[in-house]
Amino acid sequence: MSDRAVLEVIALDEEDAVAAQAGGADRLELVTDMAADGLTPSKERFAAVRAAVDIPLRVMLRLRDGFAAGGPREIDALVGRAEELREAGAEEFVLGFLTEDGQPDLVTVERLLTVIDGCRWTFHRAIDRAADRDGARKLLADLPGLDTYLTAGAPTGVDDGLRTLVAEASHTGEPGYEPQILVGGGLRLDHLPTLRTATLTAFHIGGAARPRGWTAPVSTEAVRTWREAVDA
């Protein structure tokens, strides 16, 4: 990927993927059920989207709403889905789970990492619900393949998380802060000047790529608007 700002777009299917790439997206996050903040797609959906576009594609590993992985059966099922997706050719992933006390669920994450060994992955917005953001980063720091945190800086979105995002950007490169900060979660165009001034260079959009509503397909023109804005 080039040195320009990274624009990642949520895709639900091939139509979304093609539209996002045409608008200038650098990477896709493939999910199903955006109402649940994104769940794991089928291996068939992954294969269809992978065949439709040639930009990087990160696949969500999450079978239920919220940031708890669930019980043993649910975790077994999630591991099985990860195995299917790897066999289908998936090479990049999005995951992240918390324990009841808001700590990273290292047991579940490390179990998944045995399946996706060698793959790059994003720890998603579970970081925004962690009891201790800095402590969570330190616990996750040595996990192989972790190169990105998807975060709004706050559970309620970028509006409330701007100060945290700017502060964390100032720690880039320090222990626990080596992964790229991918800003997403209620992100708007008017947030970009503050974020870019803080040297943040990676942005994630879902609803913003769908001006006709969450259930509408991705708009190439909307993505193109964001492409121009993040590059300005």
Side-chain angles (χ1 to χ4, degrees):
M1 196 171 291
S2 70
D3 292 333
R4 72 174 183 170
V6 174
L7 180 62
E8 180 180 270
V9 178
I10 295 174
L12 298 175
D13 55 26
E14 307 96 297
E15 181 181 0
D16 280 352
V18 170
Q21 181 170 2
D26 296 291
R27 188 170 70 207
L28 303 174
E29 180 188 87
L30 180 62
V31 308
T32 186
D33 197 353
M34 287 178 66
D37 291 327
L39 302 179
T40 301
S42 68
K43 62 181 180 181
E44 292 82 10
R45 178 67 69 192
F46 163 76
V49 172
R50 181 68 288 170
V53 294
D54 58 9
I55 57 177
L57 174 62
R58 295 206 170 185
V59 185
M60 180 66 76
L61 293 177
R62 185 166 173 256
L63 294 182
R64 53 185 281 175
D65 197 359
F67 295 96
R73 288 186 180 180
E74 289 171 296
I75 295 171
D76 286 346
L78 182 60
V79 169
R81 295 287 291 276
E83 290 171 340
E84 290 179 353
L85 287 161
R86 280 294 285 137
E87 290 171 0
E91 298 178 337
E92 300 183 41
F93 294 89
V94 182
L95 61 126
F97 303 98
L98 300 175
T99 61
E100 290 184 0
D101 60 353
Q103 301 301 315
D105 183 352
L106 293 177
V107 172
T108 299
V109 172
E110 289 177 346
R111 187 172 173 198
L112 285 168
L113 293 187
T114 65
V115 176
I116 65 170
D117 183 45
C119 298
R120 291 177 291 176
W121 58 281
T122 299
F123 191 88
H124 61 58
R125 289 196 62 205
I127 191 70
D128 292 335
R129 277 83 170 173
D132 176 358
R133 292 174 66 94
D134 180 72
R137 284 175 170 272
K138 301 293 174 54
L139 287 171
L140 296 163
D142 294 329
L143 295 181
L146 172 60
D147 68 357
T148 304
Y149 280 101
L150 172 59
T151 175
T156 49
V158 175
D159 263 345
D160 294 324
L162 270 176
R163 183 172 297 182
T164 295
L165 292 167
V166 170
E168 291 186 341
S170 71
H171 294 291
T172 298
E174 297 177 10
Y177 291 82
E178 296 93 344
Q180 184 173 55
I181 295 173
L182 176 64
V183 180
L187 180 64
R188 300 193 309 269
L189 290 170
D190 60 282
H191 294 133
L192 291 178
T194 298
L195 296 168
R196 293 308 305 270
T197 298
T199 70
L200 289 162
T201 59
F203 307 97
H204 168 97
I205 59 173
R210 298 167 168 81
R212 289 182 291 165
W214 282 91
T215 59
V218 166
S219 162
T220 294
E221 289 305 314
V223 176
R224 186 171 292 124
T225 296
W226 276 83
R227 176 78 269 163
E228 295 170 354
V230 300
D231 286 340

